[in-house]
Amino acid sequence: MQSSILKEKLFINGEWIETEGTHQVFNKYTGELFSEIALADEKIVDQAINAAVTAHKEINFPVEQRYEVLMRAADLLKQNQTALAETIAIEGGKPISDANVEVTRSVSTLQVAAEEAKKLTGEIIPNYNAPGRFLYTVKKPVGVVAAITPFNFPLNLVVHKVGPALAAGNPIIIKPASDTATTTVKLCELLEEAGVPKGYVQCVVGSGRTVGEQLLNDERIVHYTFTGSPAIGKHIQQTIGLRKATLELGSNSATIVHHDTDVEKAAKKIARMANVNAGQVCISVQRVFIHDSIKEAFLDTLVREVAQLKVGDPLNKDTNVGPMISEKEARRIESWIDEAVSAGAVVLTGGKREGSVVQPAVLTNVKKGLKIVDEEAFAPIVSVSSYDTIEEAVALVNDSKYGLQAGIYTSDLKLSYQIPYLLEVGGVIVNDTSSFRADQMPYGGVKESGNGKEGPAYAIQELVETVTVVVNLEE
Ligand code: NAP
């Protein structure tokens, strides 16, 4: 498919620049070199921050222009759908059908963000206890924003940060995951073509340890928007002091399957949603809690469906499950499965590894204390445990240090109304799995799954400063 190795530059201060170093990105299925991108060093990162500070101070970016740039960018993403999806599939290992869905979603995320630019308003405050005063608020851009993003949705999760930041009128510096940085470079090309003003978008490619740390330690950056692992999220919060961060972190998401549901339908959907992007989705179904009375029927269907998933080359349109992001990650999950089996867990299907490809696995007889239960697996694996009462199921879901989203299959209307108050998560999905996300909805977790909400309408509120104005009308 690929004829030559892509050579990419960095987008800084409205220009494409070469640097002294090179960052290499590999095809995650074949292991071949895919692209070479200019590597940011300390000087380049400093240059990017300077450009963003200057843009914030000196370059006007009115609301109409923000809207137009974001809408044009959405159109350009649509026009470049095939190339973007292939880039995601090659460097991220994501099956091409899912990579296409990611591009389609990114288009919509940009459009929703563009609309939000038009809705930014302050409010009039009642003058109760303030006679002769007119009180109101205005919203203004917070300043320079840094986005640090993960490998698993290299386009849409970057767009979820760039869209709201630009809609709010802020310059943004993007540090993408090194493993999938080519997609971000391509996005910057399209943002440039869409007419983003000079200095409003910069891309600095390099590792978290170098580029990431420099960004965290630079006081000129006022807001960090991070999606990634809880460990790095905590580190960011500790490093930046009083400056603000939106942290979208990991989870070991659960889905409850109650006795009053269509078992076959639930099992089929879970088989698919536990394995999207080889399970490397923050809301992937990792823990399933099934009512005792339907466990056998559920497992029969789940195991059959999981075993039928097509595993292999992400560029093949029939592939459901591609490689994990690296062999190291595949070996990690292999060792977690071994640990579970040594403790009495039963692997009903899958679990075998070849290089970075792991056969989708279903496990039972798992218990608290095992990594595949307590930690975020981020792999094509699902464990199934049964419960007797719904109170027990709720306790099992909540017995986690994470709390991003949870799903529940039930036809009990009363239960579906009660359950959001009982589960310790940021989103409850009724009659679907924990994995559902629409890009316009508020999205973000509790506990170690992070803080703040994404979804352009919600993210934008964290990216504007509310300034209160009081006018003394008696002077
Ligand atoms: P990660 O290892 O935490 O990396 C995320 C980003 O942080 C990368 O760009 C990484 O750079 C950077 N980074 C690493 N060390 C850093 C440091 N010391 N300072 C600043 N930045 C640093 O996460 P990942 O493996 O890419 O992604 C998987 C994680 O993301 C999972 O936990 C998943 O649940 C979470 N996630 C959450 C959501 C959500 O919305 N809640 C969505 C998707 C993914 P390099 O990799 O280039 O070194």
Side-chain angles (χ1 to χ4, degrees), residues 148-153 157 175-179 206-209 211-213 216 226-230 232-233 235-236 247-251 281-283 376 378 404 437 443-444 449 454:
I148 302 179
T149 55
F151 73 83
N152 63 336
F153 285 85
L157 291 183
K175 194 223 88 61
S178 302
D179 276 325
S207 80
R209 267 174 296 110
V211 172
E213 288 294 338
L216 297 185
F226 172 76
T227 300
S229 60
I232 305 295
H235 171 68
I236 291 174
L247 302 171
E248 301 292 341
L249 312 178
S251 191
V281 176
C282 49
I283 40 179
E376 177 178 39
F378 223 54
L404 192 46
R437 179 178 186 184
Y443 179 81
S449 292
E454 284 203 335

mmCIF file of all heavy atoms in Angstrom, residues 148-153 157 175-179 206-209 211-213 216 226-230 232-233 235-236 247-251 281-283 376 378 404 437 443-444 449 454, ligand 1:
data_model
loop_
_atom_site.group_PDB
_atom_site.id
_atom_site.type_symbol
_atom_site.label_atom_id
_atom_site.label_comp_id
_atom_site.label_asym_id
_atom_site.label_seq_id
_atom_site.Cartn_x
_atom_site.Cartn_y
_atom_site.Cartn_z
ATOM 1 N N ILE A 148 -2.361 17.504 25.448
ATOM 2 C CA ILE A 148 -1.496 16.313 25.438
ATOM 3 C C ILE A 148 -2.427 15.124 25.221
ATOM 4 O O ILE A 148 -3.377 14.924 25.990
ATOM 5 C CB ILE A 148 -0.697 16.198 26.758
ATOM 6 C CG1 ILE A 148 0.144 17.467 26.964
ATOM 7 C CG2 ILE A 148 0.190 14.951 26.737
ATOM 8 C CD1 ILE A 148 0.971 17.496 28.242
ATOM 9 N N THR A 149 -2.191 14.382 24.146
ATOM 10 C CA THR A 149 -3.208 13.423 23.694
ATOM 11 C C THR A 149 -2.670 11.994 23.584
ATOM 12 O O THR A 149 -1.471 11.780 23.439
ATOM 13 C CB THR A 149 -3.762 13.883 22.327
ATOM 14 O OG1 THR A 149 -2.676 14.036 21.420
ATOM 15 C CG2 THR A 149 -4.502 15.201 22.442
ATOM 16 N N PRO A 150 -3.584 11.001 23.635
ATOM 17 C CA PRO A 150 -3.185 9.594 23.630
ATOM 18 C C PRO A 150 -3.173 9.001 22.215
ATOM 19 O O PRO A 150 -3.561 9.669 21.261
ATOM 20 C CB PRO A 150 -4.292 8.943 24.457
ATOM 21 C CG PRO A 150 -5.505 9.721 24.068
ATOM 22 C CD PRO A 150 -5.050 11.134 23.802
ATOM 23 N N PHE A 151 -2.758 7.748 22.136
ATOM 24 C CA PHE A 151 -2.615 7.118 20.819
ATOM 25 C C PHE A 151 -3.917 6.543 20.269
ATOM 26 O O PHE A 151 -4.037 6.300 19.075
ATOM 27 C CB PHE A 151 -1.564 5.983 20.885
ATOM 28 C CG PHE A 151 -2.054 4.751 21.615
ATOM 29 C CD1 PHE A 151 -2.816 3.799 20.951
ATOM 30 C CD2 PHE A 151 -1.775 4.552 22.962
ATOM 31 C CE1 PHE A 151 -3.290 2.665 21.611
ATOM 32 C CE2 PHE A 151 -2.237 3.428 23.638
ATOM 33 C CZ PHE A 151 -2.996 2.490 22.958
ATOM 34 N N ASN A 152 -4.908 6.311 21.134
ATOM 35 C CA ASN A 152 -5.991 5.415 20.705
ATOM 36 C C ASN A 152 -7.056 6.048 19.804
ATOM 37 O O ASN A 152 -7.726 5.341 19.067
ATOM 38 C CB ASN A 152 -6.629 4.717 21.913
ATOM 39 C CG ASN A 152 -7.285 5.664 22.870
ATOM 40 O OD1 ASN A 152 -6.946 6.839 22.932
ATOM 41 N ND2 ASN A 152 -8.233 5.159 23.619
ATOM 42 N N PHE A 153 -7.214 7.375 19.880
ATOM 43 C CA PHE A 153 -8.064 8.094 18.912
ATOM 44 C C PHE A 153 -7.244 9.301 18.449
ATOM 45 O O PHE A 153 -7.475 10.424 18.903
ATOM 46 C CB PHE A 153 -9.389 8.535 19.549
ATOM 47 C CG PHE A 153 -10.371 7.409 19.732
ATOM 48 C CD1 PHE A 153 -10.324 6.597 20.856
ATOM 49 C CD2 PHE A 153 -11.337 7.138 18.763
ATOM 50 C CE1 PHE A 153 -11.214 5.546 21.025
ATOM 51 C CE2 PHE A 153 -12.234 6.089 18.924
ATOM 52 C CZ PHE A 153 -12.166 5.288 20.055
ATOM 53 N N LEU A 157 -9.717 12.633 19.341
ATOM 54 C CA LEU A 157 -9.414 13.182 20.669
ATOM 55 C C LEU A 157 -8.544 14.426 20.585
ATOM 56 O O LEU A 157 -8.521 15.229 21.515
ATOM 57 C CB LEU A 157 -8.787 12.110 21.567
ATOM 58 C CG LEU A 157 -9.758 10.998 21.966
ATOM 59 C CD1 LEU A 157 -9.098 10.006 22.901
ATOM 60 C CD2 LEU A 157 -11.025 11.555 22.603
ATOM 61 N N LYS A 175 0.626 18.375 21.769
ATOM 62 C CA LYS A 175 1.670 17.362 21.856
ATOM 63 C C LYS A 175 0.985 16.007 21.708
ATOM 64 O O LYS A 175 0.400 15.476 22.641
ATOM 65 C CB LYS A 175 2.431 17.408 23.187
ATOM 66 C CG LYS A 175 3.716 16.584 23.112
ATOM 67 C CD LYS A 175 3.996 15.727 24.326
ATOM 68 C CE LYS A 175 3.428 14.360 24.356
ATOM 69 N NZ LYS A 175 3.815 13.386 23.323
ATOM 70 N N PRO A 176 1.025 15.452 20.495
ATOM 71 C CA PRO A 176 0.322 14.183 20.293
ATOM 72 C C PRO A 176 1.131 13.006 20.830
ATOM 73 O O PRO A 176 2.337 13.137 21.064
ATOM 74 C CB PRO A 176 0.233 14.107 18.764
ATOM 75 C CG PRO A 176 1.416 14.868 18.267
ATOM 76 C CD PRO A 176 1.728 15.925 19.295
ATOM 77 N N ALA A 177 0.468 11.875 21.007
ATOM 78 C CA ALA A 177 1.183 10.646 21.391
ATOM 79 C C ALA A 177 2.210 10.339 20.303
ATOM 80 O O ALA A 177 1.894 10.391 19.111
ATOM 81 C CB ALA A 177 0.192 9.506 21.528
ATOM 82 N N SER A 178 3.412 10.019 20.709
ATOM 83 C CA SER A 178 4.489 9.776 19.738
ATOM 84 C C SER A 178 4.134 8.654 18.764
ATOM 85 O O SER A 178 4.469 8.713 17.584
ATOM 86 C CB SER A 178 5.778 9.405 20.472
ATOM 87 O OG SER A 178 6.128 10.428 21.356
ATOM 88 N N ASP A 179 3.432 7.641 19.276
ATOM 89 C CA ASP A 179 3.116 6.463 18.452
ATOM 90 C C ASP A 179 2.243 6.795 17.251
ATOM 91 O O ASP A 179 2.248 6.070 16.255
ATOM 92 C CB ASP A 179 2.364 5.427 19.302
ATOM 93 C CG ASP A 179 3.336 4.564 20.100
ATOM 94 O OD1 ASP A 179 4.421 4.287 19.570
ATOM 95 O OD2 ASP A 179 2.976 4.185 21.230
ATOM 96 N N GLY A 206 7.281 14.827 20.133
ATOM 97 C CA GLY A 206 8.390 14.383 20.977
ATOM 98 C C GLY A 206 7.804 13.653 22.163
ATOM 99 O O GLY A 206 6.587 13.655 22.369
ATOM 100 N N SER A 207 8.650 13.024 22.960
ATOM 101 C CA SER A 207 8.116 12.167 24.018
ATOM 102 C C SER A 207 7.526 12.990 25.168
ATOM 103 O O SER A 207 7.829 14.181 25.337
ATOM 104 C CB SER A 207 9.224 11.267 24.560
ATOM 105 O OG SER A 207 10.012 12.008 25.457
ATOM 106 N N GLY A 208 6.714 12.332 25.966
ATOM 107 C CA GLY A 208 6.142 12.973 27.138
ATOM 108 C C GLY A 208 7.227 13.407 28.109
ATOM 109 O O GLY A 208 7.126 14.454 28.743
ATOM 110 N N ARG A 209 8.261 12.586 28.220
ATOM 111 C CA ARG A 209 9.343 12.868 29.179
ATOM 112 C C ARG A 209 10.072 14.167 28.847
ATOM 113 O O ARG A 209 10.578 14.842 29.733
ATOM 114 C CB ARG A 209 10.353 11.714 29.206
ATOM 115 C CG ARG A 209 10.055 10.674 30.277
ATOM 116 C CD ARG A 209 10.996 9.507 30.163
ATOM 117 N NE ARG A 209 10.798 8.807 28.888
ATOM 118 C CZ ARG A 209 11.644 8.802 27.869
ATOM 119 N NH1 ARG A 209 12.763 9.429 27.929
ATOM 120 N NH2 ARG A 209 11.373 8.146 26.762
ATOM 121 N N VAL A 211 9.254 16.725 25.705
ATOM 122 C CA VAL A 211 8.338 17.789 25.258
ATOM 123 C C VAL A 211 7.197 17.986 26.265
ATOM 124 O O VAL A 211 6.859 19.116 26.632
ATOM 125 C CB VAL A 211 7.789 17.443 23.855
ATOM 126 C CG1 VAL A 211 6.699 18.411 23.448
ATOM 127 C CG2 VAL A 211 8.918 17.444 22.839
ATOM 128 N N GLY A 212 6.616 16.879 26.718
ATOM 129 C CA GLY A 212 5.494 16.952 27.668
ATOM 130 C C GLY A 212 5.908 17.689 28.930
ATOM 131 O O GLY A 212 5.235 18.630 29.372
ATOM 132 N N GLU A 213 7.035 17.282 29.492
ATOM 133 C CA GLU A 213 7.506 17.906 30.744
ATOM 134 C C GLU A 213 7.763 19.396 30.559
ATOM 135 O O GLU A 213 7.436 20.207 31.417
ATOM 136 C CB GLU A 213 8.792 17.226 31.233
ATOM 137 C CG GLU A 213 8.584 15.834 31.794
ATOM 138 C CD GLU A 213 7.751 15.799 33.078
ATOM 139 O OE1 GLU A 213 7.654 16.816 33.785
ATOM 140 O OE2 GLU A 213 7.171 14.731 33.345
ATOM 141 N N LEU A 216 4.561 21.219 30.640
ATOM 142 C CA LEU A 216 3.978 21.265 31.989
ATOM 143 C C LEU A 216 4.657 22.317 32.859
ATOM 144 O O LEU A 216 4.026 22.927 33.717
ATOM 145 C CB LEU A 216 4.100 19.903 32.684
ATOM 146 C CG LEU A 216 3.362 18.720 32.047
ATOM 147 C CD1 LEU A 216 3.492 17.492 32.930
ATOM 148 C CD2 LEU A 216 1.907 19.051 31.822
ATOM 149 N N PHE A 226 -5.776 17.217 28.847
ATOM 150 C CA PHE A 226 -5.043 15.953 28.730
ATOM 151 C C PHE A 226 -6.004 14.785 28.618
ATOM 152 O O PHE A 226 -6.984 14.697 29.374
ATOM 153 C CB PHE A 226 -4.168 15.761 29.977
ATOM 154 C CG PHE A 226 -3.505 14.402 30.061
ATOM 155 C CD1 PHE A 226 -2.398 14.102 29.274
ATOM 156 C CD2 PHE A 226 -3.988 13.419 30.924
ATOM 157 C CE1 PHE A 226 -1.785 12.854 29.344
ATOM 158 C CE2 PHE A 226 -3.386 12.159 30.998
ATOM 159 C CZ PHE A 226 -2.280 11.887 30.207
ATOM 160 N N THR A 227 -5.722 13.884 27.701
ATOM 161 C CA THR A 227 -6.397 12.588 27.696
ATOM 162 C C THR A 227 -5.295 11.541 27.700
ATOM 163 O O THR A 227 -4.388 11.581 26.857
ATOM 164 C CB THR A 227 -7.298 12.414 26.466
ATOM 165 O OG1 THR A 227 -8.289 13.446 26.485
ATOM 166 C CG2 THR A 227 -8.012 11.071 26.483
ATOM 167 N N GLY A 228 -5.377 10.625 28.657
ATOM 168 C CA GLY A 228 -4.351 9.595 28.746
ATOM 169 C C GLY A 228 -4.491 8.806 30.031
ATOM 170 O O GLY A 228 -5.578 8.752 30.627
ATOM 171 N N SER A 229 -3.392 8.227 30.464
ATOM 172 C CA SER A 229 -3.459 7.306 31.601
ATOM 173 C C SER A 229 -3.579 8.069 32.931
ATOM 174 O O SER A 229 -3.100 9.196 33.056
ATOM 175 C CB SER A 229 -2.210 6.439 31.614
ATOM 176 O OG SER A 229 -1.072 7.267 31.726
ATOM 177 N N PRO A 230 -4.188 7.431 33.931
ATOM 178 C CA PRO A 230 -4.318 8.063 35.246
ATOM 179 C C PRO A 230 -2.958 8.447 35.846
ATOM 180 O O PRO A 230 -2.839 9.496 36.485
ATOM 181 C CB PRO A 230 -5.017 6.991 36.083
ATOM 182 C CG PRO A 230 -5.800 6.203 35.070
ATOM 183 C CD PRO A 230 -4.955 6.175 33.841
ATOM 184 N N ILE A 232 -0.183 9.496 34.386
ATOM 185 C CA ILE A 232 0.308 10.771 33.824
ATOM 186 C C ILE A 232 -0.640 11.904 34.211
ATOM 187 O O ILE A 232 -0.204 13.020 34.494
ATOM 188 C CB ILE A 232 0.463 10.681 32.278
ATOM 189 C CG1 ILE A 232 1.357 9.499 31.873
ATOM 190 C CG2 ILE A 232 1.029 11.987 31.718
ATOM 191 C CD1 ILE A 232 2.792 9.576 32.310
ATOM 192 N N GLY A 233 -1.933 11.603 34.274
ATOM 193 C CA GLY A 233 -2.905 12.620 34.693
ATOM 194 C C GLY A 233 -2.576 13.158 36.085
ATOM 195 O O GLY A 233 -2.565 14.371 36.314
ATOM 196 N N HIS A 235 0.310 13.035 37.553
ATOM 197 C CA HIS A 235 1.588 13.741 37.469
ATOM 198 C C HIS A 235 1.368 15.174 36.959
ATOM 199 O O HIS A 235 1.969 16.126 37.473
ATOM 200 C CB HIS A 235 2.526 12.963 36.540
ATOM 201 C CG HIS A 235 3.782 13.692 36.213
ATOM 202 N ND1 HIS A 235 4.758 13.945 37.145
ATOM 203 C CD2 HIS A 235 4.203 14.268 35.062
ATOM 204 C CE1 HIS A 235 5.731 14.636 36.580
ATOM 205 N NE2 HIS A 235 5.425 14.850 35.316
ATOM 206 N N ILE A 236 0.494 15.317 35.964
ATOM 207 C CA ILE A 236 0.210 16.656 35.416
ATOM 208 C C ILE A 236 -0.363 17.548 36.518
ATOM 209 O O ILE A 236 0.109 18.661 36.741
ATOM 210 C CB ILE A 236 -0.756 16.560 34.208
ATOM 211 C CG1 ILE A 236 -0.028 15.907 33.027
ATOM 212 C CG2 ILE A 236 -1.313 17.937 33.828
ATOM 213 C CD1 ILE A 236 -0.892 15.620 31.820
ATOM 214 N N LEU A 247 -8.771 16.650 32.797
ATOM 215 C CA LEU A 247 -8.103 15.345 32.752
ATOM 216 C C LEU A 247 -9.097 14.243 32.395
ATOM 217 O O LEU A 247 -10.015 13.952 33.174
ATOM 218 C CB LEU A 247 -7.457 15.047 34.115
ATOM 219 C CG LEU A 247 -6.439 16.079 34.619
ATOM 220 C CD1 LEU A 247 -6.032 15.787 36.057
ATOM 221 C CD2 LEU A 247 -5.203 16.096 33.714
ATOM 222 N N GLU A 248 -8.921 13.681 31.212
ATOM 223 C CA GLU A 248 -9.785 12.571 30.768
ATOM 224 C C GLU A 248 -8.928 11.309 30.839
ATOM 225 O O GLU A 248 -8.059 11.093 29.992
ATOM 226 C CB GLU A 248 -10.259 12.815 29.330
ATOM 227 C CG GLU A 248 -11.039 14.112 29.123
ATOM 228 C CD GLU A 248 -12.394 14.109 29.812
ATOM 229 O OE1 GLU A 248 -12.903 13.025 30.139
ATOM 230 O OE2 GLU A 248 -12.936 15.202 30.042
ATOM 231 N N LEU A 249 -9.172 10.476 31.851
ATOM 232 C CA LEU A 249 -8.252 9.367 32.138
ATOM 233 C C LEU A 249 -8.895 7.998 31.879
ATOM 234 O O LEU A 249 -9.910 7.902 31.202
ATOM 235 C CB LEU A 249 -7.743 9.514 33.571
ATOM 236 C CG LEU A 249 -7.247 10.929 33.939
ATOM 237 C CD1 LEU A 249 -6.809 10.995 35.389
ATOM 238 C CD2 LEU A 249 -6.126 11.378 33.009
ATOM 239 N N GLY A 250 -8.308 6.986 32.435
ATOM 240 C CA GLY A 250 -8.691 5.616 32.082
ATOM 241 C C GLY A 250 -9.847 5.054 32.886
ATOM 242 O O GLY A 250 -10.461 5.742 33.698
ATOM 243 N N SER A 251 -10.115 3.776 32.651
ATOM 244 C CA SER A 251 -11.182 3.111 33.389
ATOM 245 C C SER A 251 -11.115 1.592 33.185
ATOM 246 O O SER A 251 -10.393 1.109 32.317
ATOM 247 C CB SER A 251 -12.543 3.615 32.924
ATOM 248 O OG SER A 251 -13.541 3.161 33.800
ATOM 249 N N VAL A 281 -9.822 1.330 24.210
ATOM 250 C CA VAL A 281 -10.786 2.437 24.254
ATOM 251 C C VAL A 281 -11.063 2.653 25.742
ATOM 252 O O VAL A 281 -11.258 1.682 26.482
ATOM 253 C CB VAL A 281 -12.099 2.058 23.511
ATOM 254 C CG1 VAL A 281 -13.131 3.157 23.628
ATOM 255 C CG2 VAL A 281 -11.820 1.722 22.050
ATOM 256 N N CYS A 282 -11.059 3.917 26.173
ATOM 257 C CA CYS A 282 -11.165 4.167 27.620
ATOM 258 C C CYS A 282 -12.482 3.672 28.213
ATOM 259 O O CYS A 282 -12.564 3.418 29.403
ATOM 260 C CB CYS A 282 -10.964 5.645 27.908
ATOM 261 S SG CYS A 282 -11.975 6.667 26.845
ATOM 262 N N ILE A 283 -13.531 3.525 27.382
ATOM 263 C CA ILE A 283 -14.820 3.037 27.888
ATOM 264 C C ILE A 283 -15.128 1.632 27.367
ATOM 265 O O ILE A 283 -16.273 1.188 27.364
ATOM 266 C CB ILE A 283 -15.973 4.014 27.522
ATOM 267 C CG1 ILE A 283 -15.780 4.557 26.109
ATOM 268 C CG2 ILE A 283 -16.096 5.111 28.556
ATOM 269 C CD1 ILE A 283 -16.872 5.509 25.636
ATOM 270 N N GLU A 376 -6.930 -1.018 34.616
ATOM 271 C CA GLU A 376 -7.443 -0.830 33.258
ATOM 272 C C GLU A 376 -6.717 -1.809 32.337
ATOM 273 O O GLU A 376 -5.486 -1.734 32.195
ATOM 274 C CB GLU A 376 -7.190 0.609 32.808
ATOM 275 C CG GLU A 376 -7.631 0.851 31.386
ATOM 276 C CD GLU A 376 -7.433 2.304 30.945
ATOM 277 O OE1 GLU A 376 -6.419 2.907 31.319
ATOM 278 O OE2 GLU A 376 -8.308 2.807 30.225
ATOM 279 N N PHE A 378 -7.155 -2.272 28.900
ATOM 280 C CA PHE A 378 -6.814 -1.606 27.642
ATOM 281 C C PHE A 378 -6.310 -2.636 26.638
ATOM 282 O O PHE A 378 -5.241 -2.500 26.022
ATOM 283 C CB PHE A 378 -5.761 -0.521 27.890
ATOM 284 C CG PHE A 378 -6.049 0.755 27.144
ATOM 285 C CD1 PHE A 378 -7.264 1.389 27.281
ATOM 286 C CD2 PHE A 378 -5.100 1.323 26.310
ATOM 287 C CE1 PHE A 378 -7.546 2.571 26.599
ATOM 288 C CE2 PHE A 378 -5.372 2.504 25.617
ATOM 289 C CZ PHE A 378 -6.586 3.118 25.767
ATOM 290 N N LEU A 404 -15.636 6.040 34.876
ATOM 291 C CA LEU A 404 -15.851 6.819 33.648
ATOM 292 C C LEU A 404 -17.291 6.655 33.160
ATOM 293 O O LEU A 404 -18.085 7.583 33.240
ATOM 294 C CB LEU A 404 -14.824 6.382 32.592
ATOM 295 C CG LEU A 404 -14.675 7.239 31.339
ATOM 296 C CD1 LEU A 404 -14.589 8.707 31.652
ATOM 297 C CD2 LEU A 404 -13.450 6.796 30.533
ATOM 298 N N ARG A 437 -20.494 6.597 23.058
ATOM 299 C CA ARG A 437 -20.212 8.027 23.196
ATOM 300 C C ARG A 437 -20.702 8.763 21.959
ATOM 301 O O ARG A 437 -20.391 8.363 20.833
ATOM 302 C CB ARG A 437 -18.706 8.284 23.361
ATOM 303 C CG ARG A 437 -18.392 9.769 23.481
ATOM 304 C CD ARG A 437 -16.924 10.066 23.692
ATOM 305 N NE ARG A 437 -16.734 11.496 23.929
ATOM 306 C CZ ARG A 437 -15.554 12.097 24.077
ATOM 307 N NH1 ARG A 437 -14.462 11.374 24.034
ATOM 308 N NH2 ARG A 437 -15.474 13.391 24.280
ATOM 309 N N TYR A 443 -18.868 14.418 28.612
ATOM 310 C CA TYR A 443 -18.155 13.151 28.722
ATOM 311 C C TYR A 443 -16.949 13.335 29.627
ATOM 312 O O TYR A 443 -16.087 14.187 29.369
ATOM 313 C CB TYR A 443 -17.699 12.733 27.317
ATOM 314 C CG TYR A 443 -16.921 11.456 27.274
ATOM 315 C CD1 TYR A 443 -17.568 10.224 27.291
ATOM 316 C CD2 TYR A 443 -15.534 11.471 27.220
ATOM 317 C CE1 TYR A 443 -16.849 9.041 27.253
ATOM 318 C CE2 TYR A 443 -14.809 10.286 27.171
ATOM 319 C CZ TYR A 443 -15.476 9.090 27.194
ATOM 320 O OH TYR A 443 -14.778 7.922 27.162
ATOM 321 N N GLY A 444 -16.902 12.569 30.694
ATOM 322 C CA GLY A 444 -15.770 12.663 31.614
ATOM 323 C C GLY A 444 -16.101 11.897 32.870
ATOM 324 O O GLY A 444 -17.276 11.671 33.179
ATOM 325 N N SER A 449 -10.787 8.350 37.093
ATOM 326 C CA SER A 449 -11.032 8.532 35.655
ATOM 327 C C SER A 449 -10.920 9.992 35.251
ATOM 328 O O SER A 449 -11.082 10.321 34.079
ATOM 329 C CB SER A 449 -12.407 7.972 35.274
ATOM 330 O OG SER A 449 -12.399 6.568 35.399
ATOM 331 N N GLU A 454 -15.565 16.716 28.614
ATOM 332 C CA GLU A 454 -15.399 17.080 27.207
ATOM 333 C C GLU A 454 -16.753 16.988 26.515
ATOM 334 O O GLU A 454 -17.770 16.716 27.144
ATOM 335 C CB GLU A 454 -14.331 16.199 26.553
ATOM 336 C CG GLU A 454 -12.945 16.639 26.983
ATOM 337 C CD GLU A 454 -11.825 16.259 26.037
ATOM 338 O OE1 GLU A 454 -11.962 15.279 25.287
ATOM 339 O OE2 GLU A 454 -10.787 16.950 26.060
HETATM 340 P P1 NAP B 1 -0.308 7.902 28.238
HETATM 341 O O1 NAP B 1 0.806 6.954 28.256
HETATM 342 O O2 NAP B 1 -0.752 8.498 29.518
HETATM 343 O O3 NAP B 1 0.102 9.059 27.206
HETATM 344 C C1 NAP B 1 -0.762 10.099 26.906
HETATM 345 C C2 NAP B 1 0.036 11.305 26.482
HETATM 346 O O4 NAP B 1 0.802 11.765 27.586
HETATM 347 C C3 NAP B 1 1.029 11.004 25.350
HETATM 348 O O5 NAP B 1 1.074 12.086 24.469
HETATM 349 C C4 NAP B 1 2.337 10.861 26.121
HETATM 350 O O6 NAP B 1 3.478 11.117 25.334
HETATM 351 C C5 NAP B 1 2.145 11.935 27.179
HETATM 352 N N1 NAP B 1 3.049 11.834 28.323
HETATM 353 C C6 NAP B 1 3.686 10.743 28.787
HETATM 354 N N2 NAP B 1 4.453 11.079 29.849
HETATM 355 C C7 NAP B 1 4.295 12.402 30.049
HETATM 356 C C8 NAP B 1 4.843 13.330 30.972
HETATM 357 N N3 NAP B 1 5.700 12.964 31.912
HETATM 358 N N4 NAP B 1 4.483 14.622 30.888
HETATM 359 C C9 NAP B 1 3.598 15.029 29.933
HETATM 360 N N5 NAP B 1 3.069 14.191 29.007
HETATM 361 C C10 NAP B 1 3.399 12.892 29.079
HETATM 362 O O7 NAP B 1 -1.619 7.263 27.563
HETATM 363 P P2 NAP B 1 -1.743 6.412 26.213
HETATM 364 O O8 NAP B 1 -1.107 5.085 26.446
HETATM 365 O O9 NAP B 1 -1.320 7.207 25.042
HETATM 366 O O10 NAP B 1 -3.319 6.270 26.129
HETATM 367 C C11 NAP B 1 -4.015 5.350 26.881
HETATM 368 C C12 NAP B 1 -4.682 5.938 28.089
HETATM 369 O O11 NAP B 1 -5.529 7.016 27.704
HETATM 370 C C13 NAP B 1 -5.598 4.941 28.759
HETATM 371 O O12 NAP B 1 -5.442 5.022 30.147
HETATM 372 C C14 NAP B 1 -6.989 5.386 28.329
HETATM 373 O O13 NAP B 1 -8.027 5.008 29.178
HETATM 374 C C15 NAP B 1 -6.805 6.860 28.327
HETATM 375 N N6 NAP B 1 -7.868 7.475 27.530
HETATM 376 C C16 NAP B 1 -8.858 8.177 28.177
HETATM 377 C C17 NAP B 1 -9.904 8.732 27.450
HETATM 378 C C18 NAP B 1 -10.981 9.543 28.113
HETATM 379 O O14 NAP B 1 -11.656 10.303 27.418
HETATM 380 N N7 NAP B 1 -11.199 9.421 29.409
HETATM 381 C C19 NAP B 1 -9.959 8.566 26.061
HETATM 382 C C20 NAP B 1 -8.925 7.842 25.442
HETATM 383 C C21 NAP B 1 -7.889 7.312 26.190
HETATM 384 P P3 NAP B 1 4.314 9.957 24.594
HETATM 385 O O15 NAP B 1 3.460 8.752 24.543
HETATM 386 O O16 NAP B 1 4.567 10.537 23.254
HETATM 387 O O17 NAP B 1 5.563 9.780 25.389
#
